[in-house]
Amino acid sequence: MTVLDHPVVAAKLTTLRDVTTPTPVFRRLVDDLVTLLTYEATRDVPVESVRVQTPLTTTTGVRLTFPPPLVVPVLRAGVGMLDGFIRLLPDAEVGFAGLVRDEATAQASWYAERLPDDASGRATFVLDPMLATGGTLVSVVDSLLGRKAESVTCVCLLAAPEGVDRVATQYPGDNVTLVVAAVDDHLDERSYIVPGLGDAGDRLFGSPPAPHPTD
């Protein structure tokens, strides 16, 4: 797991946590943070050598390998992270995963899915603002690994220790990784991240404020 230890990231995250931060500012900050997270998350994206002609001579550089990376935002809040990601990796293809968490049991269930049948050889990225119990993220990662994705990198704004532990236990190898802006203290009795930043979807899309984060 990689936690971005950077003062700019910490400052932006602090403003995200503030309950008085308005929706337009919240969206912009999420966009900024995701681009910073993506820079770290794509550090090992597969590339191949290529020769190019500069105005002066020829030189060797790199380009992304084929097939291109696949990025999967988890509906709905993950959609608010998509622009920040593809700004840095515009060649990525986009899939979608729709899951809903039962507020009584904290269990996630699928309601929509748009993923390739075969993800063989592809670097894959999952965007989900909040890693709470880990149920949603594990469901999406299992689906991608079942489609033979070569690797899965999960990009989250915040994580709870319980969710981090679940992901680490579920995937002890190095083909599933986490990149997060911060790991918070704990989950409360309702499986909400504390101190957290509230419901990322509600705050991104201007819905009436509610305290619970997505999983």
Side-chain angles (χ1 to χ4, degrees):
M1 179 180 70
T2 299
V3 181
L4 265 64
D5 182 16
H6 193 286
V8 173
V9 171
K12 291 180 182 293
L13 186 56
T14 298
T15 307
L16 279 182
R17 294 186 189 277
D18 190 335
V19 70
T20 66
T21 298
T23 293
V25 176
F26 191 92
R27 288 175 184 159
R28 177 178 56 78
L29 289 170
V30 167
D31 193 70
D32 290 347
L33 271 176
V34 172
T35 299
L36 294 170
L37 289 165
T38 302
Y39 180 81
E40 184 61 39
T42 56
R43 182 176 295 276
D44 297 320
V45 69
V47 295
E48 60 187 8
S49 296
V50 59
R51 295 287 291 177
V52 295
Q53 178 71 50
T54 79
L56 301 178
T57 184
T58 58
T59 188
T60 300
V62 299
R63 64 185 174 194
L64 298 182
T65 57
F66 187 86
L70 173 70
V71 55
V72 181
V74 178
L75 302 177
R76 70 182 162 141
V79 174
M81 302 173 68
L82 185 58
D83 284 350
F85 185 95
I86 60 176
R87 178 177 296 109
L88 201 61
L89 204 65
D91 293 330
E93 294 183 357
V94 180
F96 293 96
L99 295 94
V100 62
R101 188 175 77 171
D102 186 299
E103 293 302 325
T105 65
Q107 298 299 308
S109 58
W110 289 80
Y111 66 86
E113 172 264 302
R114 188 173 181 83
L115 300 171
D117 293 332
D118 185 359
S120 300
R122 304 186 74 160
T124 307
F125 301 87
V126 178
L127 308 180
D128 196 5
M130 313 293 280
L131 171 57
T133 66
T136 295
L137 211 59
V138 165
S139 294
V140 178
V141 171
D142 281 348
S143 182
L144 291 168
L145 293 178
R147 290 167 163 82
K148 302 179 181 179
E150 181 173 310
S151 64
V152 182
T153 301
C154 305
V155 180
C156 306
L157 300 179
L158 288 181
E162 295 89 339
V164 172
D165 290 345
R166 180 171 180 176
V167 172
T169 301
Q170 188 84 9
Y171 311 108
D174 58 3
N175 62 329
V176 177
T177 57
L178 288 172
V179 178
V180 303
V183 177
D184 273 8
D185 294 339
H186 65 279
L187 296 178
D188 67 11
E189 67 280 358
R190 301 169 297 172
S191 296
Y192 301 164
I193 297 178
V194 180
L197 52 75
D199 187 297
D202 287 349
R203 298 194 68 186
L204 276 164
F205 302 117
S207 304
H212 60 281
T214 54
D215 192 16

